[in-house]
Every structure is written in structure tokens, then in C-alpha cells.
Amino acid sequence: MSSMRESPILQNHLPHDLVLNILANLPVKSVLRFRCVRKSWNSSITSPSFISSHLKLNGSLRLLFMQPDWIPFAPHRRQCIVICEHSFDRISKFDIPLTFTPRIVGSCNGLLCLEEGRDYVYLLNPSIGKFKRVSTSLPIPSPTVTEAATGFGYDSETNDYKIVRIIYHLWSPTPPPQAEIYTLKSGSWRRLHFPLAPDFIIKRMSSFMLPIPFVSGALHWMLHEGKGEEPPRRSFILKFDVNEEKFGMIATPFADTNAHCHPLAFKGKLALTEFEEHSLLNLWVMKEYGVHQSWTKLFVVPLLDRVHSRFYGCSENGLLILEKSNHFFANGKMRIARKCISIDIETLHERGVDGIGTQNLECEVNFMESLVLLDGADMVPVRL
Amino acid sequence: MSSVKKVTLKSSDGEIFEVEETVAMESQTIKGLIEDDCADNAIPLPNVTGHILSLVIQYCKEHTSSSDSNSSKSNEKLKAWDTQFINVDLNVLFDLIMAANYLNVKGLLDLTCQTVADMIKEKTPEQIRAMFNIVNDFTPEEEEEVRRENAWAFEISLKNNNVVDTFEVEESMAKELQTIKNMIEDNYTDSVIPLHNVTSDILELVIEDCKKHVEAAESESEPSYSLASKLIDDPLKA
């Protein structure tokens, strides 16, 4: 650290665009602090072009974990812990003031999209402390037998963020499923054409706690068709192209889809997990997006039944995040010690993720720090 | 080899440099001039002094030979060379930024901007103004508003000896500890203050203690120091 007493005074003034080149290399916290250096810096920092160029330079990969934060005599909040994907060093920790079973729908360019119950969706950029509540517009006819599947992605053509929601009636083809889309720039919801055959019954869409992957410009849900307690008649990946705003279908590489197929993003490609008999995790990768023959079983990870007790997700670079249960005897009783671990899918190297308790760990997503929405209207500043 | 094509560059202060054409073409600006056939005589570069131009040429030489297929220069070696190269004082660094921009040498521009960013990332706005020779054109009320919007970005970080936990504390609290107060007032360092002799647990207790004193000071006139903070202050002064 250099002492300020020797800080040199510049002979020449650096032109403004070169100053911005320097600022674009800074971490978010420093950029926010330098807003008050002078007015021209403040207006440049909050401009969309600077936010984009900063995003390009600063997208270091992080992992974000969310779990309930038990505060006595207060509604339960959620606590999020952000760690560096590479070193597992803790980057930040913050609370989300949502109480009614929130889940993280997606994470894109530093923005988190959260769903609380069925009525509210939230956008949050924790790095700049800005938060926006979006109420959904489709009326839920009978809340007990409908489900909502939500996805969050980025439209690269219009530089806009979009939330897609599909409301479907469980186990009955009527009323038919409905879809709607919210774009941040318009600030409103719009109906979408949802192209499923009239007798199609959605049994279930996607997996409860895993975020919906946004990859190759599209959102991907696992869709199981069927009725009631019977096994699904058919399962496939429902995709939604965010730029074109069109739904499509991607067939899975294996016929026997069980309850544990999750679409994911792996190194920029669409991937699918396949759990075999609690002992193997296969990761299929669609090497060429949209080409069915390009589905390749790239990795096979041996798992131990009852030891690898929960799957939380897979990071963009191939780190499987799991819960490991260690059963042991103490004082004549069987006890279980649980911890959060990562398994590198390529090397099978296992590492403990310290500082993350798995007791009530709800989910894990890829994350990055950004200034996105620093220029946003209607964003509520929140002290996280 | 006498058949290697050379170009002549002339700096703002009249210094002449003869450079191999491939090296000079690392600068997209010069490359454009050569391709447009404007480079028969010495190319005048009125915006770059001889000293800076020689540094830019050094950079280009090193980076041209590394993209040569016969070269065995590894990425690590190149990175190490860059680190050595960029270890110059701030005024030279700024001149290099401007020269790299004018001559359009992308690698050098990225390197210099990243280096300056690393140097300034922990600084306070006041230090930035001093460094860049900037006059604050915010009124006190306007500045206060911008600060308040992102108050958390101004918190001072205290790091323990293992650099494991960073504690964000408000300035008023950190100043309860005489040592830290002196550091802050001397503008000792930026917004991260390393505390080598204190572990996280103790630091956490001390911060709790300081919190109480700041609150007490708001109701009383004289804060009373507890035994705990007195004991801790000594190792810090060591």
C-alpha cells in the first residue's frame, strides 16, 4: 500500500474516455464509491454503455448459496452467501427480505430473479443494492391445483431482461396452460402463445429448487407429460428463445426420463443430468445446440448412495455442488454430519465448500457482480 | 538480416527511432499509415515523447516476437515481463495510456488501464481527486446524496491477519480505536486497513465493544474505554 504522502500530482489531464477505460476495470464497490468524485464521472458510471463495457470486463464467476436466516421473533428471511468459483473465498453475504418460500428462478449478468409464492416475482442486483418487485398479471383460478414455472433471461438484441411464466393446471388439460412475458424495458406483462396440443397434460415442469438455465439465448424447462400418480407418458425439454419469444421442443438423449433430469448450462452449452439408481450421475451435453445427434454423454460421476444425499446444481465450469452425509456412531447412536462439497466433473476431485452449512441450504446458482440496472427506473434501493 | 523492412518514427521532441516493420505494425495507427503507403519518410508522432515512444517500442518488440511461430515464449514469461515493464511511476503510466490509445496498441492499453485500476481500487474519492487533479463540482448536499445511495460502498474494511474475514465498519466506530483513528487521519492507506496482530474473534469482540461506545457517546459526553479495547490497542501499536 503506498503512502498518500507521496501521491504524485498528474502533469496532464487524462481524457474522459480513457478515464472510463480505467474505471471499467474496477470492482463494483470501487465504481460506486467513485460516483461522487465529480459530476461527469457520476453520469458516465450510470450510463448504459458504461454498464455494458464494465460487465464485459468484470464477469468473474461466483457461486451464490441461499438458505433461511432464522431471526428470533421475526419473519424468516433468506441469507445469501457469495463465494469465488475458483478459490471458494467468501466474497459477500447478504439477506433477502422475502419470507414466503422464495426461490431463485435465474441469475443473469449479476441480476437475480426470485419468485415468492405464486404472486410475486422480484429482480435484485445485490452488488449495487437495488431491488424491484414485479407483480404477475395472470389470475390464478384455483391456487391449489395450478403451478407456475418461471424463467429469467437476457435479450441480446434489445439489451433487455425478460421473465417468462407458464401457469398450468395440474393433471388436467383444461383450462389450458397459459404463458406470459415481462420485459424490464416495457415494465409490463404480455400474453404469449403457448403451443401445446389440446389434450396435453402437464404432470410437472422442472425441478423444484434448481434455477432454470439460460443458455444459447433460450430458457429450458424439463416438462413431464402425464396424469396423476402414473409415470410420465413422455418427457422433453421445453425451450423458449428469448430474442424471438418463441417456444420450442428439444428431445432428450435417453428415452427413460426419470424424475431427476435437470437441464443445466455447462460451459455455455445445454446439458442434462441423468441419475442412474442413486449411484451414477451422467452429464449429457448437447455439443451443437439444436442438433439431436450431438447429445453426448460427456461425464459419468460415481456417487455413493446415502452419502451424496442431495444435488444442488452444477456451476458453469463443471463443479457439481452436492451435500455429503457422513454417517457415524457416537454415544451408541447413529448420527449424520452433513457438509457441502463440490466435485469437479472433469477431474472428479472433491473439495469441501467451507462456510456453507447444508442444514437448510435451499439452492445454489452461478453469479457475477455487475452494475446492471444502476440506470434503472423504479428500482428500490435496499440495504442488504 | 539487411532485408528486414524498417520504418522510421519521429517523436514529438525530435528523437528518431528505426523499427522493424512487423514490430511497428503492433500499432494499428502505424499499420494503417504503412498500408496506405504514407510511410516512406519518417512518420511524425507529435503526441508522443521520445521517452514514452521508446517504452512503447519495447512493448511491441516483446509482444511481436511472442506471436512468431518460432518463438518459445510462454504465456507466463510474457506476463512476468509485462509485470516488470509496467512497474513505472504514475505519470509515465498515464503517458503510456495516452500513447497506447493514440497509437492504437490494444494490449498495451488494456495492460496500463488494468494496472491503474488495481492501484486505485481501494482509494477514497478524495484521494482520487488529488491523483487525477480533479476539482469536485458537486455541492456538499449533492455529494451527500450520492454517498447515501451507496453508503455501504464507503465502509472501511478491517482485515485480520489471515486475510480471511473482512469486517466492514463505519468510520466513526473504527475511529474509537486510537491506532486506526491515526491511520485514517494520516490518510495512511486506502479503505482496507490490515491488522496483522489481531485474529477475527478478537476483532469481532472489539468491534462490538466500539459499537457500544459510539452509542454511549451519543448520550454521554465522555466515552469510557473498557478494559478489552485497552488490551487490544497495545498489540496494534506494536
Side-chain angles (χ1 to χ4, degrees):
Chain A
M1 300 277 184
S2 60
S3 165
M4 262 307 297
R5 293 181 198 101
E6 293 151 29
S7 173
I9 308 293
L10 259 202
Q11 261 81 57
N12 298 308
H13 286 267
L14 206 57
H16 191 65
D17 59 329
L18 292 181
V19 169
L20 291 184
N21 262 21
I22 296 172
L23 296 183
N25 281 291
L26 289 169
V28 167
K29 191 175 174 184
S30 312
V31 173
L32 293 176
R33 209 162 53 231
F34 297 164
R35 281 181 64 186
C36 66
V37 167
R38 75 187 310 185
K39 285 183 177 172
S40 60
W41 283 35
N42 188 27
S43 49
S44 294
I45 284 170
T46 53
S47 72
S49 56
F50 179 77
I51 293 172
S52 299
S53 49
H54 177 269
L55 183 64
K56 288 198 190 93
L57 290 175
N58 255 274
S60 15
L61 278 177
R62 312 284 191 219
L63 298 178
L64 186 150
F65 295 83
M66 184 172 88
Q67 53 201 124
D69 186 15
W70 309 101
I71 304 173
F73 313 117
H76 307 139
R77 292 150 64 94
R78 256 60 189 176
Q79 185 188 82
C80 289
I81 298 176
V82 179
I83 64 172
C84 173
E85 201 227 16
H86 177 66
S87 64
F88 286 4
D89 284 341
R90 183 181 286 199
I91 303 291
S92 66
K93 186 171 108 168
F94 55 90
D95 275 356
I96 296 181
L98 299 178
T99 56
F100 185 50
T101 334
R103 56 172 286 236
I104 299 181
V105 165
S107 163
C108 207
N109 293 347
L111 278 186
L112 291 174
C113 179
L114 300 132
E115 196 176 45
E116 187 184 36
R118 277 192 199 96
D119 298 319
Y120 292 109
V121 172
Y122 297 85
L123 288 177
L124 169 67
N125 183 337
S127 312
I128 61 171
K130 290 269 178 90
F131 182 68
K132 180 173 181 152
R133 186 170 83 170
V134 177
S135 30
T136 58
S137 76
L138 284 180
I140 314 265
S142 31
T144 51
V145 289
T146 54
E147 275 292 340
T150 315
F152 176 62
Y154 171 70
D155 182 334
S156 54
E157 264 168 53
T158 58
N159 189 25
D160 199 2
Y161 293 89
K162 296 180 174 175
I163 304 171
V164 179
R165 259 192 146 213
I166 300 158
I167 313 285
Y168 59 99
H169 213 81
L170 284 175
W171 310 326
S172 161
T174 55
Q178 291 171 64
E180 55 175 358
I181 187 168
Y182 176 90
T183 64
L184 197 56
K185 285 195 171 157
S186 71
S188 59
W189 293 88
R190 203 186 346 122
R191 274 292 179 85
L192 279 176
H193 173 56
F194 191 60
L196 277 189
D199 59 348
F200 198 89
I201 301 171
I202 299 179
K203 180 178 165 70
R204 186 169 39 83
M205 273 181 77
S206 273
S207 356
F208 183 53
M209 274 312 188
L210 295 180
I212 300 302
F214 174 65
V215 70
S216 294
L219 295 167
H220 303 84
W221 297 266
M222 198 65 216
L223 201 157
H224 303 278
E225 191 213 351
K227 229 197 228 178
E229 297 306 312
E230 300 158 13
R233 281 204 295 246
R234 168 164 100 122
S235 305
F236 57 87
I237 297 172
L238 176 73
K239 79 163 217 199
F240 180 77
D241 184 315
V242 173
N243 285 20
E244 304 282 311
E245 295 190 0
K246 283 215 181 76
F247 284 100
M249 184 187 124
I250 294 180
T252 58
F254 40 85
D256 179 27
T257 54
N258 50 43
H260 302 290
C261 291
H262 311 299
L264 305 163
F266 173 74
K267 294 198 175 165
K269 299 214 185 286
L270 179 63
L272 197 57
T273 60
E274 180 193 16
F275 286 86
E276 264 184 60
E277 306 284 326
H278 297 289
S279 59
L280 280 183
L281 163 56
N282 300 325
L283 192 77
W284 294 77
V285 179
M286 191 175 224
K287 284 188 157 175
E288 234 186 288
Y289 188 72
V291 176
H292 184 78
Q293 292 80 355
S294 71
W295 274 118
T296 314
K297 191 196 290 194
L298 271 191
F299 302 103
V300 177
V301 179
L303 295 178
L304 300 169
D305 188 21
R306 292 176 65 225
V307 173
H308 294 119
S309 36
R310 232 187 114 171
F311 174 69
Y312 290 108
C314 181
S315 82
E316 185 68 45
N317 283 334
L319 281 182
L320 296 171
I321 307 293
L322 303 157
E323 180 190 64
K324 191 171 185 188
S325 299
N326 185 17
H327 299 82
F328 61 98
F329 274 103
N331 299 334
K333 279 196 188 159
M334 167 83 109
R335 293 178 197 276
I336 309 178
R338 294 182 223 269
K339 62 176 189 164
C340 184
I341 60 158
S342 75
I343 297 182
D344 185 314
I345 209 167
E346 288 172 284
T347 65
L348 295 185
H349 175 60
E350 186 180 302
R351 266 169 88 186
V353 185
D354 298 322
I356 307 286
T358 61
Q359 189 68 26
N360 294 294
L361 188 57
E362 285 174 336
C363 64
E364 171 272 324
V365 296
N366 296 314
F367 183 67
M368 61 167 70
E369 287 145 343
S370 79
L371 296 167
V372 172
L373 288 194
L374 191 59
D375 58 343
D378 311 322
M379 294 291 286
V380 177
V382 60
R383 176 64 178 99
L384 294 176
Chain B
M1 293 202 302
S2 55
S3 56
V4 171
K5 252 194 125 182
K6 293 208 174 180
V7 294
T8 312
L9 305 173
K10 185 168 164 191
S11 71
S12 60
D13 43 357
E15 242 186 284
I16 304 282
F17 296 85
E18 255 206 18
V19 182
E20 281 180 31
E21 195 178 88
T22 44
V23 172
M25 302 244 275
E26 285 285 308
S27 153
Q28 296 297 309
T29 310
I30 296 177
K31 181 168 186 260
L33 290 172
I34 294 175
E35 286 169 352
D36 286 347
D37 255 344
C38 306
D40 292 334
N41 302 319
I43 301 177
L45 301 170
N47 293 348
V48 194
T49 63
H51 171 47
I52 299 298
L53 187 53
S54 70
L55 288 173
V56 177
I57 291 170
Q58 258 184 62
Y59 177 88
C60 294
K61 264 199 188 126
E62 195 66 26
H63 282 252
T64 316
S65 63
S66 72
S67 53
D68 194 345
S69 51
N70 295 326
S71 155
S72 56
K73 197 145 259 177
S74 67
N75 261 333
E76 284 99 57
K77 277 209 181 127
L78 200 56
K79 266 201 157 159
W81 188 91
D82 280 351
T83 312
Q84 253 293 67
F85 172 77
I86 213 65
N87 190 13
V88 292
D89 87 55
L90 195 64
N91 273 298
V92 176
L93 208 48
F94 277 72
D95 286 337
L96 276 175
I97 290 179
M98 293 201 276
N101 182 49
Y102 170 65
L103 293 170
N104 202 345
V105 184
K106 185 172 189 314
L108 183 58
L109 185 59
D110 291 344
L111 175 65
T112 45
C113 287
Q114 175 75 70
T115 307
V116 175
D118 289 338
M119 283 168 78
I120 67 172
K121 67 181 170 198
E122 303 286 1
K123 295 206 178 297
T124 64
E126 294 77 16
Q127 291 168 329
I128 296 293
R129 288 187 203 116
M131 191 185 251
F132 285 74
N133 246 340
I134 291 174
V135 174
N136 186 6
D137 56 355
F138 277 114
T139 67
E141 297 79 33
E142 288 169 338
E143 186 178 337
E144 183 52 42
E145 214 196 299
V146 179
R147 274 181 187 253
R148 219 176 326 129
E149 242 189 83
N150 298 113
W152 64 279
F154 290 87
E155 285 172 350
I156 296 175
S157 303
L158 304 176
K159 276 190 155 118
N160 82 334
N161 55 348
N162 294 322
V163 197
V164 165
D165 282 310
T166 308
F167 295 88
E168 311 270 326
V169 292
E170 286 180 33
E171 224 176 290
S172 55
M173 275 166 27
K175 281 184 173 176
E176 280 289 297
L177 286 170
Q178 205 54 34
T179 312
I180 297 181
K181 180 168 185 260
N182 292 338
M183 286 180 184
I184 294 173
E185 286 174 354
D186 283 351
N187 264 336
Y188 162 72
T189 186
D190 325 316
S191 54
V192 180
I193 298 178
L195 300 170
H196 299 294
N197 296 339
V198 195
T199 61
S200 306
D201 320 335
I202 302 293
L203 195 50
E204 213 169 329
L205 285 173
V206 174
I207 289 173
E208 277 308 304
D209 208 54
C210 291
K211 263 194 193 140
K212 291 193 193 114
H213 287 144
V214 170
E215 281 154 25
E218 267 144 32
S219 45
E220 295 170 32
S221 51
E222 274 269 317
S224 54
Y225 283 86
S226 79
L227 190 61
S229 55
K230 277 213 176 102
L231 283 175
I232 299 307
D233 238 350
D234 284 324
L236 287 179
K237 281 190 171 123

